Every structure is written in C-alpha cells, then in structure tokens.
Amino acid sequence: MKNFIALVSILFSTSVFSIDIAPYQEGQRLNNKQASELQQRYKDREQQPWKEITSSGAIKTHKNAELIQYGIQVLDKTAETIGPLSKDKSKRYSGNALNCSSCHLKGPSQLPGTMHDALPFTNVSNDYPQFRSRGMSVITAAARVNGCMTRSMGDGKILPLDSVEMKSILAYYDWLRRRY
Ligand code: HEC
C-alpha cells in the first residue's frame, strides 16, 4: 500500500524543480507584494546543475517519442518545417531562413539547444513559468518561444498554443528537463 501511494504521488507530482505559481495565472500582472512572494518561492527552489547531454538515444523509448522528435525537427529545421521553405503554406510561421538551432546551438548530442554558453534549452521547463519584473507579469515557456518567433525569426507569426508545433517544442523541453 505504501509503495502504491508513493507511486501515485510520483505520477501526479510535477517536477520537483518547477515552481507552483498558484494562485497566479500565466501572463497575469502582479502587484509588488505578489511579485516578491513569487520571487521568494523561486529563490527557495533547488538549483539545477549543468549536465552534458551526450546522446539522444533515450528519446526512442519515451512515451511521447514522436512528439519530441517533431519538436527537435521544428527547432533544428525551422525554415523548412515552419518557415518560408515549408511545403505546407499554412505552416509558414517564421519569416526568415534561420533555424532555432542557428542561435540555440547543438551540443555533442546534436540536439538543438544543448550547447553550454550558447543559449541552451536544457533548463527551460525548470525555469518557466517565471516572474519578469520587466512587465510585472508571469511569463511562460510558450511565451518565450513566441518572443523568439516574433523577434528573431524575421517578423514571424506566433505559434498557437494548441498547435502541434508548440506542443512538440514544449514536449522536447520537458524531455530535456527529465535528464536531471
Ligand atoms: C537570432 C538568434 C535566435 C534565434 C534564431 C532564436 N532565438 Fe531564442 N533566444 C535568443 C536569445 C538571444 C535569447 C535570450 C534572450 C534573453 O536572454 O532574454 C533567446 C531565448 C529563448 C528562450 C528562453 C530561454 C531561457 O532559458 O530563458 C526560448 C524558449 C527560445 N529562445 C526559443 C526559441 C525558439 C523556439 C526559436 C525558433 C523558433 C528561437 N528561440 C530562435 C536568440 C534566438
């Protein structure tokens, strides 16, 4: 019974690293008091060590393997998957020939955003949602993706939250988090 309860609590708990932002909502503007309260929670969180990802092999056996692989394709072959070179015109979200991995470089594993000091994605799922004093609001990983879509990707269009492309990018970020 004890083991069963432990298993259930593991299945239902979110990552030990992600912070619970309740009662605040993603995107919500916070006042000073709420902001310092949320920042304190963030400060109390355990720090992430850097760990080199050397292989993408483990993705194959993951239950979301297909989605994660598509996320990698979107990030690494952005121009031809969701950009001007996409065969499917309805998928032409980004406006230039860059790939996300042009800036978020690939490390030894050849996975996008795994190079130390080159804008890695390895902690995105741990670091967001996050409070940003710039707009006094809670910002999500999806909003950061769309920040790059509209600013770095040649005046690109935002990826809708319910699009398979956004879901696949976030699934890949989640997979990267599980490496720790
Ligand atoms: C021209 C270079 C460039 C390209 C191309 C680019 N980004 Fe970025 N991205 C950046 C920079 C620079 C930052 C860091 C900005 C900052 O420090 O706030 C960033 C930050 C991010 C972050 C937040 C990371 C974190 O840990 O805070 C995410 C997520 C992200 N980008 C996703 C993407 C995605 C997805 C694409 C492709 C659709 C993309 N980026 C394409 C330059 C780029």
Side-chain angles (χ1 to χ4, degrees):
M1 186 63 189
K2 242 191 204 160
N3 285 348
F4 175 70
I5 291 171
L7 180 69
V8 168
S9 58
I10 288 168
L11 286 177
F12 286 93
S13 68
T14 50
S15 160
V16 286
F17 297 117
S18 69
I19 60 163
D20 177 11
I21 59 165
Y24 315 118
Q25 309 267 315
E26 297 174 352
Q28 183 187 341
R29 294 231 169 130
L30 305 188
N31 63 32
N32 277 350
K33 194 163 161 259
Q34 293 169 322
S36 14
E37 195 269 320
L38 193 62
Q39 274 173 318
Q40 188 57 46
R41 276 194 234 177
Y42 198 80
K43 247 164 70 189
D44 292 342
R45 209 188 42 143
E46 204 176 324
Q47 289 301 305
Q48 284 292 295
W50 171 265
K51 189 175 167 198
E52 195 81 72
I53 296 172
T54 50
S55 155
S56 58
I59 294 174
K60 273 189 269 171
T61 50
H62 193 281
K63 64 174 167 33
N64 284 340
E66 221 176 300
L67 198 60
I68 296 168
Q69 294 288 6
Y70 185 53
I72 293 167
Q73 180 187 320
V74 171
L75 294 169
D76 194 28
K77 304 216 171 352
T78 318
E80 60 191 71
T81 311
I82 57 161
L85 306 178
S86 169
K87 290 198 183 85
D88 181 347
K89 285 191 182 160
S90 70
K91 300 258 178 198
R92 291 181 186 168
Y93 292 99
S94 63
N96 59 21
L98 287 178
N99 298 315
C100 308
S101 59
S102 310
C103 297
H104 301 275
L105 300 188
K106 294 188 267 187
S109 59
Q110 292 306 305
L111 291 170
T114 54
M115 178 75 93
H116 196 251
D117 291 337
L119 301 169
F121 288 140
T122 43
N123 268 311
V124 171
S125 281
N126 298 312
D127 285 345
Y128 292 90
Q130 199 179 91
F131 172 73
R132 282 291 168 96
S133 53
R134 195 158 56 193
M136 287 301 281
S137 60
V138 180
I139 184 161
T140 58
R144 294 294 280 130
V145 166
N146 277 331
C148 273
M149 282 302 293
T150 52
R151 286 191 290 266
S152 306
M153 305 308 285
D155 240 354
K157 291 184 252 175
I158 61 158
L159 287 174
L161 294 185
D162 60 356
S163 65
V164 65
E165 285 71 27
M166 178 61 86
K167 286 183 181 160
S168 71
I169 292 174
L170 297 179
Y172 170 61
Y173 292 162
D174 278 349
W175 179 80
L176 286 174
R177 160 167 73 186
R178 292 203 180 91
R179 305 287 305 184
Y180 294 96

